[in-house]
Amino acid sequence: MEASAVAALYPAHRCKTLYLVRHAQGFHNAAEESDVIDHTSPALLDAQLTPLGWSQVDCLRDHVTKCGLAKKIELVIVSPLMRTLQTAVGVFGGGNYTDGVSAPPLMVEGAENSGRQPISSLNCPPFLAAEACREQLSVLTSDKRSSITRYRTLFPAIDFSLIENDEDVLWGPDIVEANESVAARGMNFFDWLWTREEKEIAVVTHCGFLYHTLNMYGKECHPAVAEELGKVFANCELRSMVLVDRSKLGLDTSTYNFAGKIPAGLDMPSDVAEKKQAEGASKN
């Protein structure tokens, strides 16, 4: 019987599960449906979610709750733009906030005139903002973020400590990030995710960032897998991926592994085989 190369095995401790989410519909997405649109308009600066976008958030929240995913996620990493922050807390947050609770809310009531109730930070994973997964830099005003000071007033329980500058020093009216640069940034971001201890991580980010990054990964895959990776994300779409460590980074053993050597003593014939193998190696 010939060996099959269709499937592949990796030790569990060399894998993480990622849940990649594109933000829900923002006002800049809705504007794209118009025949004439000025993408540099100040009105689209750091675009927030539309009413339809919030409905998409509610639908995805209902899905992750019913399928049990909400209880599995250990960390939510989010791009520091208004539309991704709103999507992240709306989907993975702890529900409606109750006055008198000591924990700060993930989102204050009516943030950005959203008309939404405050969102609790209880009974949900921690939230961490990271610039590394923000949208491809361009001249579009929708891709310029607000100040971290402003975000902290609207999203008190989100951790913004990884972001060094209060104002957006990355965006500029004449800065266009090359596709290859976005992909390289994305791959570095996923390498950084691997260094974290969490095994089930949600990432709420953007269409362009996901498209260019996943297409780069797809170059090493079977064409069918590459095609699946390279599909454009719809607004508020979630896809689960497995992040695999192919280097020597994941040398820690799995907490579920069991050596099978209790009580201590020779475990015939495996220990004998290992001993003979070691003796043979020392003679070479």
Side-chain angles (χ1 to χ4, degrees), residues 3-174:
S4 171
V6 175
L9 284 175
Y10 278 88
H13 66 278
R14 289 184 173 271
C15 302
K16 293 180 186 287
T17 304
L18 305 181
Y19 304 97
L20 306 180
V21 180
R22 181 192 175 190
H23 63 81
Q25 186 195 60
F27 277 97
H28 65 304
N29 298 132
E32 290 171 356
E33 300 176 3
S34 304
D35 293 333
V36 179
I37 175 176
D38 180 9
H39 286 286
T40 63
S41 170
L44 297 178
L45 181 65
D46 196 12
Q48 62 171 307
L49 298 186
T50 65
L52 175 60
W54 279 112
S55 295
Q56 294 170 341
V57 165
D58 293 336
C59 288
L60 181 53
R61 179 182 179 83
D62 185 59
H63 168 73
V64 300
T65 301
K66 287 183 177 179
C67 73
L69 178 57
K71 294 183 178 180
K72 295 178 61 178
I73 293 173
E74 301 169 67
L75 175 69
V76 178
I77 296 180
V78 55
S79 161
L81 277 89
M82 189 63 67
R83 56 191 181 273
T84 40
L85 294 167
Q86 290 176 324
T87 300
V89 299
V91 172
F92 300 110
N96 290 340
Y97 182 78
T98 302
D99 290 337
V101 176
S102 58
L106 277 170
M107 188 180 81
V108 299
E109 182 175 2
E112 287 297 276
N113 299 313
S114 62
R116 305 286 291 195
Q117 293 296 313
I119 298 174
S120 173
S121 60
L122 299 177
N123 302 314
C124 66
F127 285 67
L128 179 63
E131 296 245 56
C133 64
R134 66 182 289 172
E135 183 58 300
Q136 182 176 15
L137 295 170
S138 69
V139 299
L140 306 184
T141 53
S142 58
D143 295 332
K144 184 181 189 301
R145 69 166 173 82
S146 301
S147 71
I148 300 303
T149 298
R150 182 182 180 209
Y151 287 151
R152 283 191 169 122
T153 63
L154 299 175
F155 306 97
I158 294 182
D159 183 353
F160 292 97
S161 61
L162 292 181
I163 301 177
E164 298 179 356
N165 298 285
D166 186 51
E167 298 294 337
D168 190 355
V169 298
L170 299 177
W171 185 90
D174 56 351

